[in-house]
Amino acid sequence: MGIHSEFALGNCTPFEAEMRRRLWWPLVFFDSRMAELGNSPIVTLDPTWDCKIPLNVSDTDLWPEMTSRPAPRGEPTDAVFAVVRSELGDYMRHTSFHLEFGNPALIPLAKHGYPNIDHLIKLVQSIDNRYLETCDQENPLHFMTIWTTRAQLSKYHLMVHNARCSNSSLQPTEIDLDAATNSATRFLECNTKMMSSSLTRGFAWLNGMYFPFPGFYQIAQDLKRRPSAEHAQKSWDVLNDSWYAWFSHHISTDSPVFRLLPKFILQAWEAYEVSPQPSGQALTTPKIVVSIKETLARIANNEKNEDVGLVNPPVDLGVGGNPVSMSMPAAFDQPNLPYGMETQGSHLWTASGMSPSTDPAAPFPLDTYMGQMDWSMFGGQPAW
């Protein structure tokens, strides 16, 4: 069809060319997500095509008889979410840290060096100045645009950290660890904003596809490494909020997300419990830890009753015993799990050079970075 090529689009009318650009970018994101979930390289979001991002114009600015492309507006339009999302994708497909995970052979085509925080800072400033500053927080589309974008930019910062640490023989410094955890904290905070707001109910089908696992993992690993750090209380608060934003809804406890989260969250809390604490600064048991322990106890009780032939109601992760059904597409290969939480095979995880572990008591090794893990249990890539 040639919708990926500006040369081919040059043979179309301005209206048709713009419609094709609006079609191409969502297809790229959908195909990339399917590749992640199918444990395949992301081959579509790469620098081998030149389709421009859609214009920041409203639907009323486009009509079949138009003879030229309209000028982009300097304010949010009907297309602002798609436009900003496409701009982030356009940046990502030209970065070496993205290509390293998806298609290393194309790294020589990367426009943004490996890895470069300065480019990200400039991107953040540019997106804020051109789009986010004029968005209305009371408008659902604008609200979704603001917090999706800020979450994604924070995730990009975290990915840069993972790329650096995965390819370095040096131990990360305290500054490196603080920067990574700050990015993960911001990532979860923005994601929680989206998941907990009534303004984004119409986007639940999209938000539910992207569980913020990298943020959980980074913060839990940092708490395990530095259980008494000054930011420990804030880290636990952020995990609490994100946990309840996601798991106050009814989600299968058979999912790989639930099998993994309790494992390293509890290990992080155990590290705190055995570490020396300054007088008068002890933390109370975080809500997320209490919730996980209660849920695991109910699961164990259900399994015990099943052994003696008793029938139990399904385990509920809802708060206050009132689960709310979240509308999520089902996984293709495991329809009982939410889309994006399926698993391929029975291995819980694999670190580089280590054997898969299905033992719930097996510890997560410290200093295992996202890029060093086998993501087949998530059906995805390190950016999952």
Side-chain angles (χ1 to χ4, degrees):
M1 295 176 63
I3 60 176
H4 68 292
S5 168
E6 284 297 321
F7 177 79
L9 295 178
N11 296 320
C12 301
T13 66
F15 175 80
E16 184 179 0
E18 189 61 22
M19 291 298 99
R20 289 182 174 225
R21 294 185 188 100
R22 286 189 172 195
L23 174 62
W24 171 250
W25 279 95
L27 288 176
V28 168
F29 292 130
F30 181 77
D31 184 76
S32 298
R33 188 57 180 157
M34 292 302 99
E36 289 178 339
L37 299 176
N39 197 32
S40 299
I42 303 174
V43 296
T44 310
L45 191 65
D46 64 28
T48 60
W49 44 270
D50 65 351
C51 180
K52 297 177 181 178
I53 66 173
L55 290 172
N56 182 35
V57 295
S58 294
D59 294 347
T60 54
D61 296 321
L62 303 171
W63 63 94
E65 295 79 20
M66 61 193 301
T67 59
S68 62
R69 274 186 107 191
R73 294 201 181 196
E75 59 190 19
T77 66
D78 302 339
V80 65
F81 178 78
V83 170
V84 176
R85 192 180 187 212
S86 298
E87 189 155 329
L88 292 177
D90 194 49
Y91 170 83
M92 178 61 74
R93 73 189 182 100
H94 289 103
T95 60
S96 54
F97 66 84
H98 167 73
L99 294 174
E100 180 185 11
F101 290 139
N103 200 336
L106 297 179
I107 289 180
L109 300 179
K111 292 181 181 179
H112 309 303
Y114 175 86
N116 198 318
I117 290 292
D118 291 338
H119 287 153
L120 271 178
I121 293 175
K122 291 179 181 178
L123 178 65
V124 171
Q125 294 172 341
S126 176
I127 294 290
D128 272 339
N129 293 338
R130 289 183 293 121
Y131 302 109
L132 305 188
E133 286 183 354
T134 53
C135 282
D136 178 5
Q137 291 265 13
E138 300 301 317
N139 181 303
L141 180 64
H142 294 184
F143 185 91
M144 180 72 175
T145 301
I146 291 171
W147 296 107
T148 299
T149 303
R150 289 176 177 167
Q152 194 64 31
L153 290 170
S154 298
K155 183 179 175 182
Y156 286 177
H157 276 281
L158 182 56
M159 289 177 66
V160 168
H161 165 80
N162 289 329
R164 282 177 169 174
C165 292
S166 296
N167 291 277
S168 174
S169 59
L170 301 177
Q171 288 294 316
T173 65
E174 292 293 309
I175 294 177
D176 293 331
L177 295 174
D178 286 342
T181 298
N182 287 340
S183 295
T185 297
R186 182 62 171 160
F187 176 32
L188 288 192
E189 287 175 334
C190 295
N191 183 267
T192 299
K193 273 271 192 182
M194 289 189 296
M195 295 300 298
S196 58
S197 174
S198 60
L199 293 174
T200 59
R201 286 177 181 171
F203 297 93
W205 63 273
L206 179 62
N207 289 337
M209 292 173 63
Y210 295 91
F211 184 78
F213 181 83
F216 272 90
Y217 183 83
Q218 171 63 38
I219 293 175
Q221 285 289 82
D222 185 63
L223 286 169
K224 184 176 178 181
R225 174 199 287 269
R226 304 184 295 175
S228 301
E230 291 183 3
H231 59 264
Q233 180 64 68
K234 181 177 180 180
S235 293
W236 283 113
D237 289 343
V238 168
L239 291 178
N240 286 335
D241 293 343
S242 186
W243 172 266
Y244 280 102
W246 277 87
F247 291 97
S248 61
H249 304 287
H250 189 70
I251 297 180
S252 172
T253 54
D254 291 330
S255 73
V257 169
F258 185 76
R259 277 187 280 159
L260 279 169
L261 280 180
K263 187 173 183 178
F264 56 77
I265 293 297
L266 293 182
Q267 287 178 5
W269 181 244
E270 289 166 1
Y272 172 81
E273 290 183 310
V274 300
S275 64
Q277 303 300 324
S279 178
Q281 297 185 19
L283 301 179
T284 57
T285 305
K287 294 179 181 178
I288 184 174
V289 174
V290 174
S291 177
I292 287 174
K293 288 183 176 181
E294 290 177 348
T295 302
L296 292 177
R298 290 198 297 269
I299 292 174
N301 184 62
N302 284 358
E303 292 175 348
K304 180 180 179 180
N305 289 340
E306 286 174 1
D307 290 339
V308 296
L310 298 179
V311 178
N312 294 282
V315 174
D316 171 34
L317 291 178
V319 178
N322 296 310
V324 179
S325 177
M326 174 179 282
S327 176
M328 291 189 200
F332 295 141
D333 58 340
Q334 297 186 39
N336 63 311
L337 299 183
Y339 186 41
M341 296 186 181
E342 63 272 32
T343 180
Q344 296 179 1
S346 60
H347 296 149
L348 289 183
W349 73 285
T350 304
S352 178
M354 299 183 183
S355 301
S357 171
T358 55
D359 178 7
F364 273 85
L366 209 55
D367 301 332
T368 297
Y369 300 103
M370 304 291 289
Q372 297 174 316
M373 295 177 69
D374 177 4
W375 294 93
S376 60
M377 77 289 192
F378 297 111
Q381 304 297 323
W384 184 93

